[in-house]
Amino acid sequence: MAVYILSNRKIVRHKGEKVDSFSNDEYSIPNFRIAKCDFDGYKEPTAQAQKKKDYTNRNILNYKLFSEPEKQGYEEVLEVLLSEKGNKKSNLTANNLGGTQRLFYELYKNMSSTKLRSDVLIFIHGYAYDFDDELKAIIDLKKLFIDNPESPIEHILFVSWPASSSIVPLTYFDDKAASINSGNSLMRLFYFYTQFLKDIFSNKVLTPCNQRIHIIAHSMGNRVLQSMLYSLKRENIVRVIDQVLLLNADVSYKVFEDSEDSFNKLPLLSNRVSIYLNRKDAILGISQFTKNILTPRLGKNGPSNIDHFKDIVSIIDCTFIEDDLLNTLKFDVGNHWGYLSSSQVQRDIFQNLNGIDRNLITNRLKNNENIFTIIS
């Protein structure tokens, strides 16, 4: 099990600390830095501890930033892997690797060391998260996806981007600029990953691990994904993602149209795409009427036209779910966080990630070929 943070937040050195940290500032840098979360000494905080002003940064969850690589490319990763297999003599070890080199090395080692499902989830959060909020969200995601035996997820890559830290759901800020910058950084990471695959598996001694990688984007995190897709050239897209889940997506309902040239690339990137929508989503209603010139949102209204993607893209209507896990005013009124508040949505997501045929997923009412409603 491993949880990583991929962030284009500013790097700072807090007063009294000896190590670098991610900043809470709403400011993005051009490239992602990578950190690994340390759960070995993690303890659930008491209510009193959470009220303290010093319940921030590593007091929430410890993490360590990877060093930047001394050399670009993945030749040194290949050398370390071959050395560990006894196929090449080298003084290099994993400690010599930095950045994406270390990330991809560790994931490959862990995912190829078992015959059981050991999938990776790339999670892109929505609006109103400062970095401390993200650390709390990471803890929740680990419980939901890694600790839960129904889930095939063993590793999480949490995409941390500097969204506005607004009060939910009373105010709603448009983080479009930050999401665009973060999407460009994510695009570079995708290209790094495809280069890693080419460099590593050019050697026949090393074989693919046959595990799966999934993407979940929630709310405005879909704009980060959209920005990445804008930048990807079709001829360079490799199908390396299994499932893409678009949860309460705060993007235009037209994103799958060719004129948008963004989400219509998802079928080239992934095996299956699932749009989870809620027609009572109040947060997306605010987004539509105050920030997006009355443009219907994908996560509230569904896509405009996906007839030519019916085999790959599914629509899952969550309008009638029950918030049986979290039912505070935020969740009851917002109808925006079903993946956290509803066991019905969670069960549906787990079945999706496990690769169950969409027609065989339980507690669904089939409306037509690719549209389903979650029922109790």
Side-chain angles (χ1 to χ4, degrees), residues 4 34 53 82 85 112 115 120 126 293 313 343 359:
Y4 301 90
I34 301 170
K53 292 182 179 180
L82 291 176
K85 279 184 167 289
S112 59
K115 293 182 180 180
V120 172
I293 320 176
V313 180
S343 61
N359 296 299

Side-chain angles (χ1 to χ4, degrees), residues 213-258:
I213 300 174
H214 314 287
I215 295 176
I216 292 181
H218 177 246
S219 189
M220 204 175 290
N222 284 268
R223 288 194 185 178
V224 176
L225 180 60
Q226 183 180 31
S227 178
M228 168 188 156
L229 293 167
Y230 277 143
S231 304
L232 284 180
K233 296 181 178 179
R234 289 178 178 274
E235 59 269 25
N236 294 333
I237 298 178
V238 180
R239 184 174 280 112
V240 293
I241 305 298
D242 185 31
Q243 309 286 331
V244 174
L245 277 58
L246 311 175
L247 310 182
N248 304 79
D250 190 6
V251 289
S252 167
Y253 74 128
K254 296 182 177 181
V255 288
F256 282 93
E257 295 183 8
D258 290 341

Side-chain angles (χ1 to χ4, degrees), residues 59 75 78 86-87 98 113 130 222 225 273 282 324:
N59 289 327
E75 291 182 2
L78 177 60
N87 293 89
S113 65
D130 62 23
N222 284 268
L225 180 60
V273 180
D324 56 335

Side-chain angles (χ1 to χ4, degrees), residues 260-272:
E260 284 285 328
D261 199 32
S262 57
F263 280 44
N264 61 347
K265 297 175 184 176
L266 283 176
L268 301 175
L269 181 69
S270 60
N271 293 323
R272 187 163 75 184

Side-chain angles (χ1 to χ4, degrees), residues 158-372:
F158 184 89
V159 179
S160 157
W161 61 284
S164 300
S165 52
S166 61
I167 301 173
V168 181
L170 300 179
T171 59
Y172 185 94
F173 290 91
D174 189 345
D175 292 298
K176 192 171 184 178
S179 67
I180 290 173
N181 293 337
S182 303
N184 290 335
S185 299
L186 195 60
M187 180 268 296
R188 287 193 289 273
L189 184 75
F190 171 80
Y191 282 137
F192 287 153
Y193 178 63
T194 55
Q195 187 60 50
F196 167 80
L197 295 178
K198 292 176 184 177
D199 290 350
I200 297 303
F201 299 128
S202 62
N203 191 297
K204 295 182 180 180
V205 173
L206 301 174
T207 57
C209 62
N210 295 320
Q211 304 291 354
R212 299 170 180 85
I213 300 174
H214 314 287
I215 295 176
I216 292 181
H218 177 246
S219 189
M220 204 175 290
N222 284 268
R223 288 194 185 178
V224 176
L225 180 60
Q226 183 180 31
S227 178
M228 168 188 156
L229 293 167
Y230 277 143
S231 304
L232 284 180
K233 296 181 178 179
R234 289 178 178 274
E235 59 269 25
N236 294 333
I237 298 178
V238 180
R239 184 174 280 112
V240 293
I241 305 298
D242 185 31
Q243 309 286 331
V244 174
L245 277 58
L246 311 175
L247 310 182
N248 304 79
D250 190 6
V251 289
S252 167
Y253 74 128
K254 296 182 177 181
V255 288
F256 282 93
E257 295 183 8
D258 290 341
S259 59
E260 284 285 328
D261 199 32
S262 57
F263 280 44
N264 61 347
K265 297 175 184 176
L266 283 176
L268 301 175
L269 181 69
S270 60
N271 293 323
R272 187 163 75 184
V273 180
S274 299
I275 303 168
Y276 285 77
L277 60 85
N278 191 318
R279 302 188 188 280
K280 296 180 181 179
D281 193 316
I283 303 301
L284 294 184
I286 295 172
S287 172
Q288 176 179 331
F289 286 100
T290 64
K291 298 295 180 182
N292 291 288
I293 320 176
L294 303 184
T295 303
R297 314 317 288 159
L298 178 67
K300 181 176 172 68
N301 302 87
S304 57
N305 186 356
I306 55 168
D307 286 344
H308 49 311
F309 295 133
K310 279 186 176 180
D311 291 342
I312 295 175
V313 180
S314 301
I315 299 168
I316 299 95
D317 191 335
C318 305
T319 304
F320 306 104
I321 62 167
E322 294 181 8
D323 291 324
D324 56 335
L325 300 178
L326 299 169
N327 55 8
T328 61
L329 181 65
K330 166 183 170 178
F331 296 102
D332 279 346
V333 175
N335 293 307
H336 188 64
W337 294 272
Y339 76 101
L340 292 175
S341 63
S342 171
S343 61
Q344 295 167 281
V345 176
Q346 290 181 4
R347 283 194 297 269
D348 198 279
I349 288 174
F350 293 149
Q351 291 179 81
N352 237 335
L353 295 177
N354 276 298
I356 296 175
D357 185 286
R358 64 185 181 182
N359 296 299
L360 300 178
I361 292 178
T362 59
N363 298 112
R364 279 185 177 184
L365 174 66
K366 186 173 182 178
N367 303 107
N368 64 28
E369 183 181 353
N370 69 321
I371 302 178
F372 305 85

Side-chain angles (χ1 to χ4, degrees), residues 64-115:
K64 182 179 180 180
L65 273 80
F66 285 165
S67 62
E68 292 289 83
E70 296 179 4
K71 294 181 180 180
Q72 298 301 314
Y74 302 98
E75 291 182 2
E76 292 191 345
V77 181
L78 177 60
E79 187 172 327
V80 171
L81 289 170
L82 291 176
S83 175
E84 291 175 346
K85 279 184 167 289
N87 293 89
K88 184 175 183 177
K89 290 185 178 181
S90 174
N91 293 323
L92 289 177
T93 68
N95 292 329
N96 298 108
L97 306 176
T100 57
Q101 296 173 346
R102 185 64 180 260
L103 171 68
F104 297 152
Y105 163 83
E106 289 190 3
L107 286 175
Y108 175 72
K109 288 281 289 185
N110 288 328
M111 295 169 72
S112 59
S113 65
T114 178
K115 293 182 180 180

